[in-house]
Amino acid sequence: MRNRLIHSSWWVLSLVFGSIYGTAMTLYSLVAESGGVASSALGGLVGGVIFGAFMGPVTARQARRQRSAIGDISPHQVSAVMRASRRGPVPVDPELRAAALRAATHQLDANLRQRTFGSVLFAALTVASIVFVADSPWWLLATGIFLALLAGQWLTPRTIRHRIKLLTSSRDEILHRDDS
């Protein structure tokens, strides 16, 4: 699904993210907060519209930048390039390897640009969720999620740098590594 989203328009992304968020908030309100069906659905709808209106354009802009970084490759190769930029065997095809390297380099740059803001945001959300644990044990789940996202701000660049190193390996090194 992630690779399909890279080609989606902002309004499709808004619908996707808004629907997921709205449904999750409706279910949360029904189960954890014991809200009524009508009020839960209304809250989920309003929350979904607001979340979708924000996330759709932001994600579309990020996808445009990612497509631009990848370069001119055929649409059916996008999945292979995006996968190769994250994991799996390094492509032997120099064009795909170069596109995967551009994608990984772009991702590293984006992660490093956002790291300070992301770290402050997820640290603040972690502290807030710890404070709210007294109100509901569901905040323990939120605390775990925010801690994982905070850790990701610092661990992800290291992983991407390792992948970039693999993608810049020579063809002979790749073939030798595959034989082992």
Side-chain angles (χ1 to χ4, degrees):
M1 180 170 167
R2 181 178 180 175
N3 294 327
R4 288 184 210 161
L5 293 179
I6 198 169
H7 296 290
S8 298
S9 63
W10 69 268
W11 65 270
V12 170
L13 294 168
S14 292
L15 287 173
V16 169
F17 289 120
S19 298
I20 293 169
Y21 183 85
T23 301
M25 288 297 95
T26 299
L27 293 174
Y28 173 78
S29 179
L30 285 170
V31 174
E33 301 295 325
S34 302
V37 173
S39 64
S40 296
L42 181 62
L45 178 66
V46 170
V49 167
I50 293 169
F51 188 78
F54 175 76
M55 287 303 295
V58 167
T59 305
R61 185 178 65 243
Q62 290 173 340
R64 272 193 311 274
R65 290 177 181 163
Q66 186 71 37
R67 283 192 312 269
S68 176
I70 290 171
D72 191 25
I73 60 170
S74 69
H76 69 277
Q77 291 176 317
V78 170
S79 291
V81 166
M82 293 305 292
R83 186 173 36 259
S85 73
R86 293 186 306 271
R87 60 177 160 47
V90 174
V92 177
D93 179 350
E95 182 182 332
L96 292 180
R97 188 171 62 241
L101 177 60
R102 289 190 301 270
T105 302
H106 169 77
Q107 189 61 44
L108 177 62
D109 292 342
N111 271 277
L112 292 175
R113 267 194 323 273
Q114 299 166 1
R115 181 161 56 180
T116 301
F117 174 76
S119 296
V120 170
L121 174 67
F122 295 129
L125 289 171
T126 300
V127 170
S129 64
I130 290 170
V131 169
F132 289 124
V133 165
D135 292 338
S136 170
W138 283 95
W139 283 103
L140 282 174
L141 176 64
T143 302
I145 291 169
F146 296 141
L147 279 173
L149 291 169
L150 178 60
Q153 295 295 308
W154 295 92
L155 299 175
T156 300
R158 180 177 173 205
T159 304
I160 297 171
R161 282 188 187 104
H162 176 70
R163 190 62 186 178
I164 288 171
K165 184 177 176 184
L166 290 175
L167 290 167
T168 56
S169 299
S170 73
R171 184 174 186 269
D172 293 335
E173 291 175 38
I174 294 167
L175 293 175
H176 177 69
R177 191 172 30 248
D178 289 342
D179 292 338
S180 321

